[in-house]
Amino acid sequence: MTAATAHQTAGPYWHMIDFPEWADLLRAGSGNEGVQGERITLMGRITDGEGAPVADGMVEIFQAGPDGKYEDVFHGFGRAATDSDGVFRFTTLKPGPVPGRGNAMQAPHIEIAIFARGLMQHLVTRAYFEGEALNATDPVLTMVEDPARRRTLVAKPQGDGVWRLDIRLQGDGETVFLEV
Amino acid sequence: MSDPIPYRRPDPATQPPLDSPAYGSTHKRHPKQPLLRIPHTLTETSAPRFDASRYPAHADMSQVNGKGALGERIIVAGRITDEDGRPQRGVMVEVWQANASGRYHHPRDQHDAPLDPNFEGRARIFTDDQGNYSFVSVKPGAYPWRNHWNAWRPIHIHFGLHGAGFAQRMITQMYFPGDPLLDLDPIFLSTPDKAARDRLISKFDLEITKPEWALGYRFDMVLRGREATPFEKA
Ligand SMILES: [Fe+3]
C-alpha cells in the first residue's frame, strides 16, 4: 500500500483556477437550469486568529439537490474567491435532507472546503440552516456538545433568501472543522 | 440502503500539519481546537461530477493562440491510483504554475520578473481509464516569497484533484528533481515522513521525453483508498 499523496497549500496565487461564474450554481450552462427548489444565497466572512479577513481564500461547496440526492438532477459544486473583506458568496438551491449512516437522517447541509495561503491542507466544515427541525437529531451536529461551538455550523437567515455563516479559523468563536 | 464505505484516515506523518511554525502564514490560520472526526456519510463519499462538456479540458499551457511561451518546454505525465493501487479514472486535474521567469499571471504577484504574454499557466485534464494524465507546459521558475530572509520557493507546479468522493479532494504541489531549494523550503519540509515528501518530487523520464521537442517528467499521485474492501477476494 502506498500512502495518499501529501497535501500542499494552494498558496496565494491560485486565481488562475478561479472561474467566478462557478459561485452561481444556477448559472446558464450549469446543468441546473430548471431544477425546482428554494433559491438561496449562502455567504459568510472568513477571519483569522486576529480577526483579520482572509482575503485570498478559495471556498468550495458541495451539496445535495433539493431532492436530497447528490449529483442526480442537481450539480452541487461551487467555488468562490473571498473578497478583500474575506467574504464569499454562492447562489444555489437549498439542499434537502440526506441519509446518514444506519437509519439516521441528516439535516439539510452544505459541505464547505477552504483553501488558502497558510493552510497546509484544506479545512472542511458544514453549513446547516437555523430553524430546521432535523438539526436537533443530525448525527454530525449532535456530536458537538458545546452549544456555542455547535452554532458555528449553523447559518442564520438574513432575509431575501440570504443565509450567513461566518467562519473563524482560529481563536474566539473558532469554527468547528471536520476531520473527514 | 447500505452505508457508504468510509475512506481510510491518513497516517499523520505522511501529511503536513496545519500548524507548521516554519511557514509563517500558518500561525494565525490553523485551528487550535482539534478537528471533529466524523463518520463518512454520502456527503463525504459522493463527489461532484465534472462533465468534460461543461468543464472543457485544456492540456497545453506551452502556447497561447499558437504563439509559444518562453522557457524549456516540458511534458508532465503520470498515473493517479488509490492507496490500493487501483487506477482512478475520470479524475479532474487542475494545474497552475508560474512562468519560466518565476512570475504568476496573477494581479497580486508583484515579483520583479517578466510576464510572458504567451503563458497563462493553467490547465485542466481528466484521467483516462487507466488513471493516466498528461499535459504540456514550460518549466516554471523559482520565485521569492517573504516567509523569511532570502526565501525562495523551489520550482513547483500546483495540482488540484477531484476524485470520486469529496473526502478525496486534495491540492498538492509537484517539485523537480535536484532542486537545491527543496532542502530549505518550509512548505516542502513540513511533511514529517521523508518518503511521503520525496513522492512530491517528479522524476525525469526519457520515455515521456519527446525527441527534438520536450523533456518529460513523471508525477504519480495517490488518492485515499477505502477502509474496507469486502468485495475483493483475499
Ligand atoms: Fe506557487
Side-chain angles (χ1 to χ4, degrees):
Chain A
M1 189 195 106
T2 309
T5 302
H7 292 241
Q8 299 277 270
T9 180
Y13 305 133
W14 59 269
H15 290 66
M16 285 93 98
I17 58 156
D18 183 23
F19 306 94
E21 66 273 20
W22 290 9
D24 181 358
L25 281 70
L26 310 179
R27 68 189 179 276
S30 65
N32 290 332
E33 305 94 324
V35 179
Q36 296 301 305
E38 185 185 338
R39 186 188 177 99
I40 61 166
T41 296
L42 176 68
M43 55 81 63
R45 184 166 181 259
I46 307 181
T47 50
D48 70 8
E50 282 175 339
V54 174
D56 57 304
M58 169 171 121
V59 183
E60 289 183 353
I61 60 169
F62 182 52
Q63 63 164 92
D67 57 358
K69 293 182 178 155
Y70 283 102
E71 301 297 294
D72 187 15
V73 295
F74 190 75
H75 179 43
F77 176 81
R79 174 184 292 164
T82 53
D83 66 16
S84 57
D85 202 30
V87 173
F88 65 87
R89 192 179 297 272
F90 293 94
T91 302
T92 185
L93 297 180
K94 193 175 175 194
V98 176
R101 298 187 74 80
N103 295 317
M105 189 55 101
Q106 303 188 81
H109 64 276
I110 295 177
E111 194 108 322
I112 300 175
I114 302 165
F115 303 80
R117 166 178 66 85
L119 293 183
M120 295 302 306
Q121 311 184 32
H122 61 284
L123 293 172
V124 177
T125 186
R126 286 182 172 191
Y128 286 87
F129 297 88
E130 192 177 80
E132 280 298 326
L134 281 168
N135 286 351
T137 52
D138 179 86
V140 171
L141 271 181
T142 53
M143 286 175 78
V144 186
E145 279 161 27
D146 177 353
R149 296 219 75 215
R150 200 181 309 137
R151 278 196 292 275
T152 69
L153 298 172
V154 184
K156 288 190 157 51
Q158 310 284 294
D160 285 338
V162 177
W163 291 84
R164 177 168 184 151
L165 183 71
D166 289 340
I167 293 173
R168 183 79 187 252
L169 298 187
Q170 184 190 85
D172 287 343
E174 185 176 302
T175 294
V176 173
F177 294 104
L178 309 177
E179 186 190 319
V180 296
Chain B
M1 197 176 68
S2 62
D3 284 338
I5 302 167
Y7 287 99
R8 214 173 274 154
R9 310 280 173 173
D11 172 352
T14 65
Q15 295 292 334
L18 286 161
D19 183 11
S20 294
Y23 175 21
S25 292
T26 68
H27 295 180
K28 296 292 171 205
R29 290 189 167 189
H30 73 272
K32 299 229 165 157
Q33 301 283 339
L35 305 188
L36 178 68
R37 178 180 285 210
I38 61 164
H40 289 169
T41 70
L42 283 172
T43 307
E44 289 73 36
T45 61
S46 309
R49 249 204 328 267
F50 293 104
D51 183 334
S53 69
R54 292 203 165 87
Y55 296 87
H58 168 65
D60 187 358
M61 290 196 257
S62 73
Q63 52 171 323
V64 172
N65 296 326
K67 292 193 181 128
L70 292 173
E72 188 181 318
R73 193 183 293 120
I74 60 171
I75 301 162
V76 179
R79 191 157 183 253
I80 301 178
T81 56
D82 70 7
E83 291 169 293
D84 299 304
R86 285 184 281 236
Q88 303 293 291
R89 65 180 60 92
V91 174
M92 186 169 86
V93 183
E94 295 181 282
V95 184
W96 71 102
Q97 64 166 86
N99 69 21
S101 307
R103 175 90 183 258
Y104 282 95
H105 184 79
H106 187 294
R108 281 186 214 169
D109 185 354
Q110 297 300 311
H111 173 36
D112 178 24
L115 281 167
D116 180 347
N118 299 320
F119 188 79
E120 289 178 343
R122 63 165 170 230
R124 182 191 297 143
I125 57 248
F126 293 86
T127 57
D128 66 15
D129 284 350
Q130 284 76 47
N132 292 312
Y133 74 89
S134 76
F135 62 89
V136 178
S137 188
V138 296
K139 196 172 185 178
Y143 59 84
W145 61 314
R146 298 201 192 98
N147 188 66
H148 52 276
W149 183 75
N150 212 2
W152 294 78
R153 289 302 324 283
I155 58 175
H156 63 274
I157 298 179
H158 296 267
F159 280 75
L161 271 51
H162 300 262
F166 203 58
Q168 288 182 318
R169 176 81 177 102
M170 71 110 97
I171 281 181
T172 189
Q173 299 180 29
M174 171 193 126
Y175 300 95
F176 286 79
D179 189 335
L181 294 168
L182 285 168
D183 290 339
L184 305 170
D185 182 54
I187 294 177
F188 174 70
L189 294 174
S190 62
T191 301
D193 183 68
K194 184 178 184 318
R197 232 165 34 225
D198 288 348
R199 282 202 303 277
L200 298 177
I201 305 173
S202 57
K203 291 186 173 64
F204 170 70
D205 192 325
L206 200 59
E207 303 271 299
I208 298 168
T209 299
K210 285 210 173 125
E212 319 300 326
W213 199 66
L215 292 185
Y217 290 88
R218 167 165 286 277
F219 185 52
D220 296 328
M221 286 172 281
V222 179
L223 294 177
R224 298 168 73 180
R226 299 280 185 154
E227 215 161 64
T229 52
F231 305 111
E232 268 188 341
K233 281 182 234 146

